[in-house]
Every structure is written in structure tokens, then in C-alpha cells.
Amino acid sequence: MTASASGVPSAETRFLRPQTAQQAVLAELRALIVRGEIPPGSAIVQDALAERFGVSRVPVREALKILEGEGHITYAPHHGYKVAKLEVAELLEVYDLRDVLESYVARVGVPKIDDRHVAKMQAAMQAMDSAADREDMIGVGVQNRIFHFVVFDASGLTRAVRMIRQLWDTTDPYRSLYFVKPLNRETVNAEHSQIFEACVSRDAEAVVGLLEIHRSHAVQDLRAMAEAAQG
Amino acid sequence: MTASASGVPSAETRFLRPQTAQQAVLAELRALIVRGEIPPGSAIVQDALAERFGVSRVPVREALKILEGEGHITYAPHHGYKVAKLEVAELLEVYDLRDVLESYVARVGVPKIDDRHVAKMQAAMQAMDSAADREDMIGVGVQNRIFHFVVFDASGLTRAVRMIRQLWDTTDPYRSLYFVKPLNRETVNAEHSQIFEACVSRDAEAVVGLLEIHRSHAVQDLRAMAEAAQG
DNA sequence: GTTCTTTATATCGTATCCAATATGGCGGTT
DNA sequence: AACCGCCATATTGGATACGATATAAAGAAC
């Protein structure tokens, strides 16, 4: 079953064609929520979604159940689904939890970093820079995630990494909402460089400390935004 | 907001009536899996399940999606669902992750313990004892879980606690499989008493340490069972 | 024995129908 | 004017029937 002259895309260039409708709906809907295009608190109407995606309600409902499990939407029987809305306290809770999980995973992952991991991190840093030059903030976010998850994935702790990924997804809509300003790019780049160097020298504790600082800046911004929004 | 004379059941005595078929299927199926009555690796046929529970396939499929998110079953498009089967390495990974999360949550939760928490823990210990007398091992497991989650719930860290609960669920089928023998009851009781005392004196670090020892015993048993099964 | 073809089974999805429930407005009462 | 019960409507929850697709197993040809 080799890729013949038919239009079958190669394994590398294949723009992931969802094999089932539920997966397509899931991917698209998750992207919409994470990007903040469906704002937190919005009610989700199954029929409307089904019509929007050109599918019936069944695959939509299954995708919604997954998103509920991921914490992106909330569900109440006979009320339906709403895009999850996090209070500031909850956002901070998520960041604390990230502290715990990412520190653990990084301690396991850093010693396992090999040359390919290093190369991938470098590539992500460069791609992040060029995306920033194009003012492609979405691309920046994507590359930023790739950069950080190289270390996490190296740990091989699939469950923990999956949890971390969900926590990132949870907070992403708020980054899109609040971080309209391109947050201090030089600071981020400098910190990434430091993290990268610590990874190259396989210094797990250094990486853990740098990641903590890195996150604390995000939390600081978050707090400031929240107070500004309240006042 | 006191409970009036209306027929509204109080928060304590409300007998949870599954409001929807999907919830009923979910609860029942999860119980079957966690108890090990559907052994790990088994294929799950939607039609059979629907018929078994007397519902159509729609609620079954939604319940399956939830169980997939919880890690109880695996899913492959057009292939269906199977009861998740964990290798020993994965089980150990789960226990390590529990170490990390439970330590974190306990450190937050123990200082917040109040008299009602203490009472609940005592009640659970007694109920666990009487269940053991009746040789009701399921009841023992239920009370054991209640005992431990008093501390976790006290933390107020809903997301972290939910993750911990899922990890418990994940490993439960294997407890049911392997722990046919009523594992050293005196040891468990003694450790629970120690944990209880540490909670009463609000000594978080002591609780964390005791929980670690507590879990390590389970891991030891698990290893032994795995080696016995292989040999 | 290997490979190709056929067949069977189960999943995936659609369409349509009906029941149960929550929401919002209406009118009546106090 | 504030409160309460009642009713119309929209949405969710679910059932059923049917068709399409993909995987896997059985059988046929070489």
C-alpha cells in the first residue's frame, strides 16, 4: 500500500485529514475555543454547530463530550454546554498545578534530552522569531508550545504530559483575550535562551528554576490584567 | 438558604438519581471496568452495550467518549473501544504521578482540615473496618477512597483532585484483579491511624511522608504480582 | 504457502421522529 | 409594584431506521 501516483499526501506533508467527522469537529471546535474565537461563557447550541460544520448532531455531541473532559466546556444535563469561564483564582490554580507537574516532568525529561531534541528546540526558537517578525501571534504561540514540550515529551511520561497539555489549552483562551499587546518579546527570548542552554548542559534543576521564573511572569501579567479589568 | 420543608432532598441525603441515560450508562460501565468485571483488553461492542442497558447507541457512545477521556478505555477510529490495559511500567508511572500530585494537594489540604473533615475520616475508618468484617472488599475500597479524599478535597484544588481521582480509577481494576487476598489489613489500618493522627495535628509534612510510604506498599505488592504473573 | 478477493461484522454517520426539560413571557394575585 | 403559578417555545436527550465505510477474517487462485 505504498503512496502511488494517486493524490495521497506523504506522511510529512499530509495536512491532517481527520478520519472521522467527530475528530474534524473536535479539532476545529477546540481550535476555535482555544483561540478565544468563541468567548468564554458562550452557550453552545448543538444544532447550530452541526449545521456550521455540515454534519449531524451525533458527531458534534461526541466532540462536545471530549471537550468537556478536557475542561474546555462545562455541561449541565438539559442545559447544554457552555465555553468554560475561569475566574482569576482558578487561573492561578491552574498555574500552580502547572508548576507542580512541569517541574516533575522537566526533572525526568532533561536528562533524556538528545541531539534531536536540541535541534528541535533551536528550530522552534528560530521559527518563533520569524513568526514574531511577521506579527503572526498565533504562530508565536504554536512555536512557543513546541519549544517547551520538547523537554516535556523527552520525559516519556505520557500521562503527565497530556495533563500539562490540557492545562496549557485551558489557559490559552485567556492569553488570546488579555495579551493583545505582544508581551515583552526580549524577555521571553532571553529566558528561552537560558532554558535552552540549561537543557544543553542537561542541568535539570536549572531548567526547573528557569521554568518557574518563566511562568511567574505570565502570572504577574495575569494578575495585572485581572486587577485592571476589575478596577 | 436553609433546607425548607419542601420535598427538596438535603445535600447530604440526596440519593443521586441519574438524570440522563448517558449518566446511568457511564456510572454503570465505569463501575464494571473499575471493578475489573470487564477485564482489561476486552473489546467493547456498542450495540451489545446498548442492548444490555436497554438504551440506544447514542448515550452509549457519549459515555464511551467520557471513559476514553478518563483513560479507562482506548479508542481507534473505525476500530472501536477496548478496555485499557496497562503494562507494569505504566502502572508505576501512574503511581509516580500520584506521588507528585497527592503530595502537592496534601500540603495544601492538611492545614485546611476542620472538625467535620476529622469526623468524616473517623467515620470512614470505622466503616472500612466493619466492611472488612463483612468481607465486603468493594465496600472497603469505597471507604478507603473516602478516607483519603477527605484530605484531598480539603485543599479546594478541584482540578488537581479530579486528576488524582482519575488516576485512582485507572489503577483500581488492577487492585481488583490482583488483590484477591485481603492485603495485610493490620498494616493498612495502622497506617491510616498514623495518617489520621498527623491530620488531626495538622502536620502536613508528616501526612505527605506517610502517604508516600502508604503508596509504596501498594507499589511493592504490584511489582510482586507482576513478577508472579510473568514467571 | 502466499497473495488476492470476497464476505461479514461493527463502526460511523444521517435523517427523522418523539419525549423531557428549562427558559421566558403572560396574566392573575396579593 | 413585587410575587407566584401557568403555558408556549426552544433545546436537549434519546430512539429508530437506514446507508456508507473500514477493518478483519474466511476462502479462492496462483
Side-chain angles (χ1 to χ4, degrees):
Chain A
M1 206 192 52
T2 60
S4 63
S6 68
V8 177
S10 73
E12 291 156 299
T13 58
R14 91 191 129 116
F15 48 111
L16 54 115
R17 152 192 87 125
Q19 296 170 341
T20 62
Q22 38 177 300
Q23 290 181 335
V25 172
L26 171 63
E28 186 62 23
L29 191 51
R30 180 160 45 200
L32 287 176
I33 293 174
V34 169
R35 286 198 221 113
E37 297 183 26
I38 303 180
S42 306
I44 294 177
V45 181
Q46 299 176 3
D47 270 323
L49 267 188
E51 193 179 1
R52 175 172 184 170
F53 292 127
V55 297
S56 70
R57 272 171 50 202
V58 175
V60 169
R61 284 169 64 168
E62 290 184 319
L64 289 174
K65 273 282 174 284
I66 296 178
L67 290 172
E68 182 198 354
E70 293 176 350
H72 289 120
I73 59 180
T74 62
Y75 168 74
H78 296 107
H79 286 239
Y81 299 87
K82 284 183 183 176
V83 179
K85 191 155 130 193
L86 295 190
E87 304 298 326
V88 178
E90 295 179 287
L91 277 172
L92 297 177
E93 183 190 325
V94 171
Y95 272 96
D96 282 343
L97 191 48
R98 275 184 53 189
D99 271 355
V100 173
L101 287 173
E102 293 184 16
S103 297
Y104 164 57
V105 169
R107 281 197 180 88
V108 177
V110 169
K112 295 186 179 177
I113 289 177
D114 62 23
D115 291 348
R116 291 192 307 177
H117 294 128
V118 170
K120 199 168 179 183
M121 289 180 80
Q122 268 182 322
M125 287 170 74
Q126 288 182 4
M128 203 170 153
D129 239 27
S130 69
D133 287 337
R134 294 193 309 272
E135 292 188 356
D136 170 16
M137 294 320 285
I138 294 179
V140 171
V142 170
Q143 295 301 328
N144 178 52
R145 191 181 277 231
I146 291 176
F147 175 82
H148 284 281
F149 274 83
V150 168
V151 183
F152 301 152
D153 285 328
S155 72
L157 302 172
T158 56
R159 278 171 188 74
V161 173
R162 193 173 58 182
M163 286 179 177
I164 293 172
R165 188 165 277 115
Q166 282 186 12
L167 294 177
W168 280 59
D169 285 343
T170 302
T171 53
D172 261 2
Y174 295 87
R175 279 231 292 274
S176 305
L177 275 180
Y178 297 141
F179 291 172
V180 281
K181 65 165 184 181
L183 70 139
N184 204 328
R185 182 175 158 188
E186 294 172 11
T187 306
V188 170
N189 277 358
E191 289 177 350
H192 279 191
S193 292
Q194 288 182 345
I195 293 171
F196 176 73
E197 290 304 327
C199 284
V200 170
S201 43
R202 310 297 193 272
D203 187 343
E205 290 309 316
V207 171
V208 169
L210 289 169
L211 285 178
E212 258 176 53
I213 296 172
H214 198 53
R215 278 189 301 271
S216 74
H217 290 161
V219 172
Q220 278 179 16
D221 276 334
L222 210 65
R223 268 188 216 276
M225 298 286 179
E227 289 172 7
Q230 274 189 347
Chain B
M1 208 191 48
T2 61
S4 68
S6 70
V8 177
S10 73
E12 291 154 298
T13 57
R14 85 187 135 122
F15 51 108
L16 54 110
R17 135 195 96 127
Q19 297 169 340
T20 62
Q22 39 176 298
Q23 290 181 338
V25 172
L26 171 63
E28 185 61 24
L29 191 51
R30 179 159 47 199
L32 287 176
I33 294 174
V34 169
R35 285 198 221 114
E37 297 183 27
I38 304 179
S42 307
I44 294 177
V45 181
Q46 300 175 2
D47 273 321
L49 267 188
E51 193 180 0
R52 175 172 183 172
F53 292 128
V55 297
S56 73
R57 271 174 35 219
V58 176
V60 170
R61 283 170 66 169
E62 294 188 23
L64 290 174
K65 273 283 174 281
I66 295 177
L67 290 172
E68 182 198 355
E70 293 176 352
H72 288 121
I73 59 180
T74 61
Y75 169 74
H78 295 110
H79 200 127
Y81 299 87
K82 284 183 183 175
V83 179
K85 192 158 136 193
L86 296 189
E87 305 299 324
V88 179
E90 295 180 286
L91 278 172
L92 297 178
E93 182 190 327
V94 170
Y95 271 96
D96 282 344
L97 192 47
R98 275 185 53 189
D99 272 356
V100 173
L101 287 173
E102 293 183 16
S103 297
Y104 164 56
V105 169
R107 283 197 180 88
V108 176
V110 169
K112 294 186 181 178
I113 289 177
D114 62 23
D115 292 347
R116 291 193 305 178
H117 294 127
V118 170
K120 199 168 179 183
M121 289 180 79
Q122 267 182 321
M125 287 171 73
Q126 288 183 4
M128 202 170 154
D129 239 27
S130 69
D133 287 338
R134 295 192 309 272
E135 292 187 358
D136 170 16
M137 294 320 284
I138 294 179
V140 170
V142 169
Q143 295 301 328
N144 177 52
R145 190 180 277 230
I146 291 176
F147 174 83
H148 283 282
F149 274 83
V150 168
V151 184
F152 301 152
D153 285 328
S155 71
L157 302 172
T158 56
R159 276 170 189 74
V161 172
R162 194 174 58 183
M163 288 180 175
I164 293 172
R165 187 166 278 116
Q166 283 185 10
L167 294 177
W168 279 60
D169 285 342
T170 302
T171 53
D172 262 1
Y174 294 87
R175 278 228 294 272
S176 305
L177 273 180
Y178 296 140
F179 290 175
V180 281
K181 64 166 184 181
L183 70 139
N184 205 326
R185 181 175 158 188
E186 294 173 11
T187 306
V188 170
N189 277 356
E191 289 177 350
H192 278 190
S193 292
Q194 288 181 344
I195 292 170
F196 176 73
E197 290 303 327
C199 284
V200 170
S201 43
R202 310 296 194 274
D203 187 344
E205 289 309 316
V207 172
V208 169
L210 289 169
L211 285 178
E212 259 176 53
I213 295 172
H214 198 53
R215 278 189 301 271
S216 74
H217 290 163
V219 172
Q220 277 179 15
D221 276 334
L222 211 62
R223 269 189 215 275
M225 298 286 178
E227 289 172 7
Q230 274 189 345

